[in-house]
Amino acid sequence: MEYQEALDWIHGKLKFGIKPGLKRMAWMLEELDNPQEKLAAVHVVGTNGKGSVTSYLQHIFSLAGYEVGAFTSPYIVDFRERISLNGQMISEADFLKLVERVRPVVERLSVETDLEPATEFEVITVLMFEYFGHMHPVDIAIIEAGMGGLYDSTNVFKALAVLCPSIGLDHQNVLGETYAEIAAQKAGVLKEGVPFIFATERDDVRQVFTEKAKACHSRLYEFGKDFSASENENSFDYHGKERLEQVSLAMPGKHQVSNASLAITAALQLRERYPKVTKEIIKAGLAQTHWVGRTELVFPNVMIDGAHNNESVQALVNVMQKYKDKHLHILFAAIDTKPIDSMLELLSQLADVDVTTFVYHNALPLEKYPSQYHKVANWQDWLKQIDLDSQDDFYLITGSLYFISQVRPVLLSRQQN
């Protein structure tokens, strides 16, 4: 099997859509001798911040000398980013071997059972468990949930800890209309006695988490209550049972202080099992963490950010305050399931917003954007007008991560010219 053939086989499962539920996962994993049961892993759930928290933990444990697997979505540059070892995406050779091991099981599912065919995300998740559980065992895996938690394909193992950096209104057609309903879905991954580390400013979310933790006899660790952070000029101090002073982050924004604090709490909690994780290692790991496509400065005056819901757009608006003395240019594109009007209103606090569309099956068509925004027919033409040498102009490209994944290589090609 060639690499592109393997990719085409996986992407061919997109036609089966999104089907919450765990029966298909359970059957496939049983046929593979339950690789998920061999894993020591952390589970990261939530609306925004999952990728950042996952990346912080991956950097910390890798720097400590452990073999660390990470499972993330979506990818920005290469599909294989979704399954990585110590920050490096799975090799093509390993990926092909993995697909060849898993494909027969996936194809037998709908033939030998009365279950529907596996979805794309289920296939990717099974590949990940088989890789980290059997084919390339790791010391620890950091597993980012896809959508929700309770019925998410990743919810088939007992975690060392569950982390939830935020709850926002996203994927409401699947997860529920209210913050509390969405919180219940996310907390649905919690198992008996597993620590739950979270951040929220909402009482309704806190109540859901408290009740779930009580039912599971799990210890809660809440940011702002059980641990906290005080910001300095270019760093922050972490306060918990232990203190870490002058913690520096490569990723900007107040929300990253919260995300990093959750990662610190988890790392400290797991030190008995992973004694090479010292305070110095934690600080060094956080300082080295970058997350592609999230508040990423591709050039000194060009930032890309996959802000794809109201909460992540608000966090981006806060980050952009440091550039408020610049002449700001904004380009935005989203998919058709997002709260477009409110996202654009938030961005408009910064400057006038140009909107565009891109090649993706549910990208919002140009004619569906509100009329008051300037429409750009071809986003590549917009990028060509960027003046990389300007000291006065700053360019922000944001919206769907699927859009950012197309923009990023075009921008990077200018570095080679």
Side-chain angles (χ1 to χ4, degrees), residues 210-231:
T210 301
E211 290 173 359
K212 178 64 177 177
K214 186 176 180 182
C216 292
H217 304 98
S218 294
R219 172 74 193 272
L220 279 179
Y221 297 87
E222 180 182 351
F223 179 64
K225 180 182 175 186
D226 302 292
F227 61 100
S228 61
S230 54
E231 293 185 62

Side-chain angles (χ1 to χ4, degrees), residues 25-36 126 129 156:
M25 286 295 300
W27 189 89
M28 291 185 287
L29 291 168
E30 177 69 28
E31 293 298 302
L32 290 163
D33 194 26
N34 290 307
Q36 78 283 6
V126 170
F129 280 125
V156 290

Side-chain angles (χ1 to χ4, degrees), residues 94-369:
D94 273 5
F95 181 73
L96 282 173
K97 286 181 198 168
L98 185 59
V99 170
E100 286 168 355
R101 288 168 72 146
V102 169
R103 183 174 180 173
V105 172
V106 173
E107 298 301 354
R108 282 170 38 220
L109 170 67
S110 56
V111 175
E112 298 182 13
T113 76
D114 58 0
L115 298 170
E116 295 179 81
T119 67
E120 186 203 37
F121 188 71
E122 287 170 340
V123 171
I124 298 164
T125 307
V126 170
L127 289 168
M128 175 271 296
F129 280 125
E130 177 66 8
Y131 191 59
F132 295 146
H134 285 153
M135 191 170 154
H136 194 123
V138 293
D139 296 315
I140 186 171
I142 318 298
I143 296 175
E144 180 188 324
M147 185 189 300
L150 180 60
Y151 301 115
D152 186 74
S153 305
T154 60
N155 190 21
V156 290
F157 72 101
K158 184 173 182 178
L160 300 173
V162 172
L163 284 76
C164 181
S166 72
I167 295 293
L169 298 178
D170 206 356
H171 303 298
Q172 289 158 279
N173 58 323
V174 177
L175 303 180
E177 293 297 323
T178 67
Y179 287 94
E181 288 173 334
I182 293 171
Q185 288 289 319
K186 307 289 187 183
V189 304
L190 201 59
K191 310 290 192 300
E192 184 75 16
V194 174
F196 189 29
I197 303 164
F198 72 97
T200 188
E201 295 178 350
R202 297 188 61 90
D203 290 337
D204 50 355
V205 169
R206 186 178 296 109
Q207 183 178 345
V208 169
F209 286 171
T210 301
E211 290 173 359
K212 178 64 177 177
K214 186 176 180 182
C216 292
H217 304 98
S218 294
R219 172 74 193 272
L220 279 179
Y221 297 87
E222 180 182 351
F223 179 64
K225 180 182 175 186
D226 302 292
F227 61 100
S228 61
S230 54
E231 293 185 62
N232 310 315
E233 189 173 349
N234 294 307
S235 64
F236 71 94
D237 296 336
Y238 169 89
H239 312 276
K241 280 194 172 178
E242 300 182 61
R243 287 174 60 94
L244 272 75
E245 296 183 343
Q246 305 242 297
V247 181
S248 299
L249 301 177
M251 294 194 286
K254 193 178 183 71
H255 61 297
Q256 291 298 354
V257 172
S258 171
N259 292 339
S261 296
L262 266 66
I264 293 170
T265 304
L268 292 173
Q269 281 288 313
L270 295 173
R271 253 190 330 183
E272 187 174 335
R273 184 176 183 131
Y274 299 96
K276 291 187 285 185
V277 175
T278 63
K279 289 183 180 180
E280 292 73 23
I281 289 286
I282 292 172
K283 288 175 63 175
L286 295 174
Q288 292 176 16
T289 302
H290 293 273
W291 193 226
V292 171
R294 280 79 164 183
T295 55
E296 181 184 4
L297 278 172
V298 185
F299 298 100
N301 67 337
V302 181
M303 179 183 285
I304 56 175
D305 184 66
H308 54 278
N309 53 40
N310 285 328
E311 289 81 7
S312 54
V313 171
Q314 183 59 64
L316 175 61
V317 168
N318 295 342
V319 168
M320 292 303 297
Q321 296 309 310
K322 69 185 290 187
Y323 303 104
K324 60 186 177 183
D325 60 329
K326 304 288 186 182
H327 181 205
L328 189 57
H329 309 265
I330 305 174
L331 182 65
F332 174 88
I335 59 175
D336 58 16
T337 57
K338 300 298 180 177
I340 305 296
D341 289 356
S342 52
M343 293 166 73
L344 287 170
E345 284 174 18
L346 287 167
L347 285 170
S348 296
Q349 297 172 16
L350 297 169
D352 291 338
V353 181
D354 294 338
V355 296
T356 191
T357 191
F358 59 107
V359 178
Y360 188 69
H361 69 277
N362 63 329
L364 190 71
L366 208 53
E367 64 271 14
K368 293 288 182 70
Y369 281 97

